[in-house]
Amino acid sequence: MAEDFSVVVLASDLGVDARPFLTRTDEIDEQENWHDCPQYLGDEDFSDLDLLHFFTLQGSDKSGNRIFRVIGKYFPARVVSAERLKKYIFQKISNECPEGPFCLVYMHSTVQKDENSPGVTILRWIYEDLPSEIKDRLQVVYFIHPGLRSRLVIATLGRLLLTGGLYWKIKYVSRLQYLWEEIKKGEVEVPDFVNNHDNVLEHRPLTDYGIEPDPFHLTEVQSSSFSLNQYENRWVS
């Protein structure tokens, strides 16, 4: 008898990694339940990832949730496998915040899809493989500076890809000034490039939606109308 199979159709222009959907279920069942083996996780050296500072424990938000700051630009998606990223995240949470509620402050500023993004389905796979106790402790994900592509992917496929309540935990934060309504200043360190990007968005808000209103910065060029008028007056006199 032929084996059962399923077909999954994904939009190719939304940057969705289809690999987790193509993994055979019988292979998954045969894999060891990794998060039940703390000794196995403890044998791996993650000092190289620690040096990147893309996933660090900070202070607390106004609701008392400990903060894990995630800086997308610092994550080298091309060289770190999804499996290793999953183990690293689990170890960080287990060792540095073993109990109590926590939140994620994800800074999406200037992230490049090919360089820094592991993909929505990879993140979903990591989240689903976390122990239920950790998923329950995650209270909210502050998504800083979401781009147009991110908004579209989450809006169209979010309920399908982000299961286990993660979809409803995401809170978009378009400007840092709105983040300070949820977190006191000083509780989370904001890199300079994130502040600079925030200033760009403040002065050119259409950039939020992928529209650059003045790509050549012509508005910054001093107007020449005054000098032309001077020459016109000379000719008339």
Side-chain angles (χ1 to χ4, degrees):
M1 181 179 294
E3 294 185 358
D4 294 336
F5 68 93
S6 60
V7 177
V8 178
V9 180
L10 297 175
S12 61
D13 59 343
L14 292 179
V16 178
D17 190 340
R19 285 175 294 177
F21 292 99
L22 302 179
T23 305
R24 290 171 54 91
T25 55
D26 54 344
E27 293 176 355
I28 295 176
D29 292 337
E30 292 175 0
Q31 291 177 354
E32 187 175 12
N33 192 359
W34 63 272
H35 56 65
D36 286 336
C37 304
Q39 293 182 349
Y40 170 71
L41 288 177
D43 291 339
E44 187 161 358
D45 181 18
F46 293 109
S47 58
D48 57 327
L49 298 185
D50 284 333
L51 291 174
L52 299 175
H53 301 292
F54 69 87
F55 190 78
T56 58
L57 183 66
Q58 304 268 293
S60 302
D61 67 7
K62 292 183 179 180
S63 298
N65 305 312
R66 292 303 307 275
I67 298 171
F68 276 102
R69 186 194 65 177
V70 184
I71 301 181
K73 184 178 180 179
Y74 290 171
F75 177 66
R78 288 189 173 187
V79 297
V80 180
S81 68
E83 182 69 23
R84 190 160 189 253
L85 175 61
K86 178 177 66 174
K87 293 179 181 180
Y88 177 67
I89 290 176
F90 173 70
Q91 186 183 85
K92 288 281 285 187
I93 296 175
S94 299
N95 292 345
E96 299 183 9
C97 187
E99 58 184 19
F102 68 93
C103 65
L104 299 179
V105 174
Y106 170 60
M107 299 182 180
H108 190 66
S109 321
T110 70
V111 163
Q112 300 296 320
K113 173 183 173 294
D114 294 334
E115 298 291 337
N116 312 121
S117 177
V120 175
T121 49
I122 295 295
L123 296 177
R124 170 217 186 202
W125 173 60
I126 293 175
Y127 179 78
E128 288 189 342
D129 269 15
L130 290 175
S132 58
E133 177 265 337
I134 290 182
K135 287 188 283 189
D136 291 341
R137 291 198 291 122
L138 174 60
Q139 301 300 304
V140 59
V141 178
Y142 299 104
F143 197 128
I144 316 299
H145 296 152
L148 179 62
R149 175 187 291 271
S150 302
R151 289 180 181 270
L152 287 175
V153 170
I154 295 177
T156 55
L157 299 176
R159 297 189 185 186
L160 171 64
L161 299 178
L162 305 179
T163 58
L166 180 59
Y167 175 80
W168 303 106
K169 295 180 180 181
I170 297 176
K171 179 179 291 188
Y172 292 121
V173 183
S174 59
R175 299 290 185 277
L176 290 175
Q177 68 182 76
Y178 303 127
L179 179 65
W180 308 137
E181 296 177 0
E182 307 289 344
I183 301 173
K184 291 182 180 180
K185 288 187 176 182
E187 292 292 326
V188 60
E189 183 181 354
V190 180
D192 290 340
F193 78 88
V194 176
N195 281 310
N196 294 337
H197 186 69
D198 195 74
N199 291 331
V200 170
L201 296 179
E202 187 66 27
H203 290 90
R204 298 203 295 271
L206 290 179
T207 309
D208 277 330
Y209 305 98
I211 302 173
E212 177 56 77
D214 184 21
F216 300 106
H217 307 289
L218 297 178
T219 57
E220 299 176 4
V221 178
Q222 186 176 1
S223 175
S224 60
S225 60
F226 177 74
S227 59
L228 291 176
N229 286 336
Q230 282 186 324
Y231 286 109
E232 288 178 0
N233 291 336
R234 289 179 182 180
W235 282 106
V236 171
S237 61

